[in-house]
Amino acid sequence: MKPTRREFAAAAAGALMAAPLGLPIGCQTYPVRKAIEADFDGALRQLAAAGFQAIELCSPHGYIKEGFGALADQDPREVRRRIEAAGLRCESSHYKPAEFQPDAIGRTIEYARGLGLKQMVLATFSLRNATLERWIARAGEINRAAEEIHKAGMQTIFHNHNVEFEKLDGALIYDRLLAELDPKLVKMQFQVWVVSMGVDPVATLRKLGNRAASLHLQDYDPATKGMTAIGKGSIDWKVLFGVAREAGVKNYFVEMDLPLMEASVPFLRRLRS
């Protein structure tokens, strides 16, 4: 017999409660960008079949040459419909710096609202070998964009890579960014892969406190010095998710090659934070 709507809703609620933080198990879509370019609906169905309940998109306009271009000319409400038709939800998307500039932020916000987003994530400052002054200037730029995003009812978030955990002029770049980014307007999406640099992700998340709104998940295998499925590496996920709960983190997204992402789902289903 087919389950009733009430039974289906109860099963879905049970799946959420079984996952860390009682939130949907999410993944970033960048690792499956080639599949998305070839068959968006098929890629979504594959992620849902793997056990993911939420996705984080990459901006079709900013990532037009990286597999998301086929979505750029679509009405964002149609993109949202296709995501939901696959049994997934999407409340967050990554963006590139050009999309947060004054001449583009209006269009970027309009598309994000059509998608039904709650979070607009600046994926990178695209800075390499830059001075600390240049990093600080970029922080000022995102603060200005964040004012417009806040007016539109969405949250601006900054996503780190390992480079922000390097030092310039004796200062940790990430610490200087935290000092410059407006805490009322800009939250942080903490990517735990900094563990590969010897950074303690739990200590960093504790330091962020309620400035942490989102997580990007990878696990680290000290033997190979590479990525491994969540729960197979060195990170104490029970402790990390406990800290995330205290911080009020709103979502989390696994971001690795698809086989590792798929292999991470059973552990996340079993984990209680």
Side-chain angles (χ1 to χ4, degrees):
M1 294 178 60
K2 295 178 67 175
T4 66
R5 182 175 298 180
R6 179 176 295 178
E7 289 170 336
F8 182 83
L16 289 184
M17 291 307 295
L21 309 182
L23 295 172
I25 297 175
C27 70
Q28 230 292 337
T29 51
Y30 190 79
V32 294
R33 58 195 179 278
K34 291 183 179 179
I36 284 174
E37 184 174 35
D39 179 4
F40 181 54
D41 297 311
L44 294 174
R45 288 193 296 269
Q46 184 177 15
L47 293 175
F52 291 104
Q53 301 154 311
I55 62 167
E56 183 175 58
L57 201 62
C58 290
S59 165
H61 299 95
Y63 292 77
I64 196 166
K65 296 181 180 179
E66 295 160 86
F68 296 86
L71 306 176
D73 293 331
Q74 287 199 22
D75 187 304
R77 291 168 294 186
E78 172 62 12
V79 176
R80 179 182 181 182
R81 184 199 66 76
R82 294 170 72 181
I83 292 170
E84 293 176 349
L88 298 165
R89 65 176 72 178
C90 180
E91 63 181 21
S92 181
S93 180
H94 273 203
Y95 294 88
K96 291 190 175 181
E99 298 179 275
F100 276 31
Q101 293 301 309
D103 63 342
I105 189 62
R107 295 190 300 275
T108 304
I109 288 173
E110 182 179 3
Y111 194 91
R113 292 181 71 176
L115 275 174
L117 298 184
K118 297 179 181 179
Q119 300 173 341
M120 296 178 65
V121 184
L122 183 63
T124 176
F125 280 152
S126 295
L127 292 177
R128 294 293 185 273
N129 301 316
T131 63
L132 191 56
E133 288 71 22
R134 186 72 186 107
W135 283 97
I136 292 172
R138 280 291 174 90
E141 292 173 6
I142 188 176
N143 281 336
R144 288 187 286 275
E147 292 180 1
E148 301 304 313
I149 292 169
H150 177 72
K151 291 175 185 177
M154 291 175 286
Q155 177 67 60
T156 303
I157 296 179
F158 177 72
H159 171 82
N160 70 276
H161 292 85
N162 283 15
V163 65
E164 287 87 5
F165 284 80
E166 297 174 357
K167 287 187 175 182
L168 275 178
D169 301 335
L172 194 70
I173 297 172
Y174 197 67
D175 286 345
R176 287 304 307 267
L177 292 178
L178 286 173
E180 297 295 330
L181 294 172
D182 188 331
K184 295 179 181 178
L185 295 175
V186 183
K187 300 295 184 180
M188 311 302 279
Q189 183 176 71
F190 178 50
Q191 178 160 259
V192 305
W193 185 239
V194 293
V195 67
S196 64
M197 303 174 67
V199 175
D200 182 344
V202 172
T204 302
L205 190 56
R206 281 199 177 105
K207 180 174 71 173
L208 286 174
N210 63 11
R211 295 187 71 172
S214 181
L215 300 174
H216 261 217
L217 309 186
Q218 302 88 13
D219 213 337
Y220 178 68
D221 183 346
T224 64
K225 301 188 187 308
M227 290 184 184
T228 188
I230 306 301
K232 299 291 186 181
S234 63
I235 295 177
D236 189 331
W237 292 102
K238 186 174 181 63
V239 173
L240 187 140
F241 273 111
V243 175
R245 180 184 295 279
E246 294 172 3
V249 164
K250 305 298 184 186
N251 47 42
Y252 56 91
F253 304 100
V254 183
E255 186 187 25
M256 296 181 282
D257 290 342
L258 182 57
L260 290 179
M261 293 205 300
E262 290 177 330
S264 298
V265 172
F267 175 82
L268 291 170
R269 282 177 171 164
R270 295 192 304 269
L271 185 65
R272 300 291 189 276
S273 59

